[in-house]
Amino acid sequence: MTFMNILVTGGAGFIGSHTCVALMQAGHQVIVADNLSNSKAETIDKIKQITGYDVTFYRVDVTEEETVDDIFAKHSIDGIIHFAGFKAVGESVEKPLAYYYNNIVSTMVLAKVSKKYNVNRFVFSSSATVYGENEVPFVETMELLPTTNPYGETKAISERILTDVSKSNPDFSVSLLRYFNPVGAHESGLIGEAPTGIPNNLMPYVTQVAKRKLDKLRVYGNDYPTVDGTGVRDYIHVMDLAEGHVAALNNLTEGVHIYNLGTGQGTSVLQLVKAFEEVNNIEVPYEIVERRPGDIAKCYADVSKARRELNWIAQRGIAEMCRDAWRFNTFAD
Ligand code: NAD
Ligand code: UDP
């Protein structure tokens, strides 16, 4: 295997920081470009602490072409993993222009500068949200259905942009990774998911309730056609997801390749709450409330393509996800 110099945009964020660890542990070197709009510089030190290796860090906005160009001019970059972007679905409805600008312009700038410097390996953070209300399990070959929010649209549009760039340049290799629901944290407890304010996503909300920072979980609906009426999702440990990026990068060939990164297993909200309580021996009070607008009943992946082509499969189960999310939260105080 050849070791590479990888530009990781958004590398101080939740998934990016774990992927930096996995990349470095696989022998690659990372250069992080992050404007810290949703992360902290200390995460970079934690990555160094976990791996024992140095990280080159630029606090920059990757929608700025000249700034990105400077980084490519300074380093011999072999590939890019593009995580940087805004990701809050509800906020994207309130601020559509900020989402379209940040998420799409960043992709265009990086694709443009990559072409200039002849950097032909590009891995992109997409999302299962692009499947819309297709039948589960979601398969990569499905026609994408409209998403219900600007955030989802930015992912679908970025996928199309990178696909068109690939058609125009036969040397370009791009991997579009559709993540399911990343949760958990690095086993060390040093890095994890630390949203500011009241969390939107289930696992960070559950950990806040367990810490007694929030009084109880609001379970959004128990009348879906699922095992217990609550929403079903494919939760994936963030370290499995990180390792999926290393596999995608190492197996990249010319053209566009789309992979679901999930476990293939669906877990309901109440099943996740119960697992969290059992694994961590702590109570998570909850109440059932109305459905959340825009939610679908079930979302889980067909993961056979990633297994077949990348030789990658998620190794960690719900128990590890709950344990590591809680460990990071208890360390974080
Ligand atoms: P995150 O917010 O923790 O990380 C994103 C990072 O990008 C942050 O550190 C932020 O400061 C940085 N950033 C944002 N805009 C930037 C810009 N213009 N220039 C430089 N840095 C910028 O989010 P995450 O959960 O790690 O998600 C990473 C990627 O994966 C995002 O593109 C997100 O849409 C995608 N994704 C996330 C999930 C999820 O549930 N977390 C699911 C599917 C896809
Ligand atoms: N959920 C919930 N209460 C919360 C947050 C989420 O019941 O406070 C449910 C939500 O309805 C969905 C599941 O948990 O069925 C996962 O939601 P999350 O926002 O984490 O991910 P996404 O909706 O993007 O899959």
Side-chain angles (χ1 to χ4, degrees), residues 181 200-202 217-220 231 233 235 269 292 295:
N181 287 58
N200 295 305
N201 296 113
L202 181 61
L217 172 69
R218 278 154 198 80
V219 176
Y220 297 134
R233 296 290 182 272
Y235 298 96
V269 177
R292 183 171 65 176
D295 273 356

Side-chain angles (χ1 to χ4, degrees), residues 85-97:
F86 295 150
K87 63 164 180 175
V89 172
E91 189 185 54
S92 78
V93 178
E94 309 294 317
K95 302 179 182 169
L97 286 175

Side-chain angles (χ1 to χ4, degrees), residues 65-258:
E65 187 176 333
E66 275 180 32
T67 317
V68 172
D69 195 302
D70 282 348
I71 298 176
F72 278 73
K74 272 198 200 108
H75 299 271
S76 165
I77 293 171
D78 300 301
I80 300 169
I81 307 185
H82 179 32
F83 293 102
F86 295 150
K87 63 164 180 175
V89 172
E91 189 185 54
S92 78
V93 178
E94 309 294 317
K95 302 179 182 169
L97 286 175
Y99 271 69
Y100 282 113
Y101 190 87
N102 199 39
N103 293 6
I104 292 173
V105 174
S106 59
T107 303
M108 289 173 58
V109 163
L110 287 159
K112 185 175 173 194
V113 180
S114 302
K115 172 104 173 77
K116 177 173 167 191
Y117 287 87
N118 207 21
V119 175
N120 286 320
R121 291 187 190 86
F122 200 114
V123 176
F124 176 66
S125 294
S126 189
S127 165
T129 192
V130 298
Y131 288 109
E133 286 196 70
N134 265 295
E135 282 293 306
V136 282
F138 296 157
V139 189
E140 291 89 344
T141 48
M142 280 175 164
E143 192 185 330
L144 302 186
L145 297 180
T147 61
T148 52
N149 56 77
Y151 166 72
E153 288 306 302
T154 68
K155 293 298 172 189
I157 295 168
S158 290
E159 284 199 4
R160 288 205 293 277
I161 291 171
L162 292 169
T163 302
D164 288 340
V165 171
S166 154
K167 283 182 195 153
S168 74
N169 175 7
D171 295 331
F172 195 58
S173 310
V174 57
S175 198
L176 307 174
L177 303 182
R178 295 179 179 160
Y179 310 156
F180 282 68
N181 287 58
V183 295
H186 188 262
E187 288 80 355
S188 64
L190 288 171
I191 54 173
E193 186 173 20
T196 49
I198 297 179
N200 295 305
N201 296 113
L202 181 61
M203 185 68 94
Y205 204 106
V206 166
T207 57
Q208 295 286 300
V209 173
K211 283 167 102 169
R212 306 289 175 254
K213 291 202 168 168
L214 293 167
D215 63 341
K216 56 188 157 185
L217 172 69
R218 278 154 198 80
V219 176
Y220 297 134
N222 67 348
D223 57 353
Y224 286 106
T226 62
V227 58
D228 55 18
T230 65
V232 163
R233 296 290 182 272
D234 185 342
Y235 298 96
I236 173 168
H237 194 293
V238 65
M239 281 311 296
D240 276 322
L241 187 62
E243 289 159 9
H245 287 74
V246 179
L249 195 66
N250 289 343
N251 288 284
L252 207 49
T253 53
E254 287 80 6
V256 181
H257 308 277
I258 305 177

Side-chain angles (χ1 to χ4, degrees), residues 138-140 259-260 264 301-312:
F138 296 157
V139 189
E140 291 89 344
Y259 297 104
N260 287 339
D302 179 315
V303 290
S304 48
K305 189 178 177 200
R307 188 188 313 144
R308 200 171 55 244
E309 295 188 7
L310 303 180
N311 198 22
W312 169 89

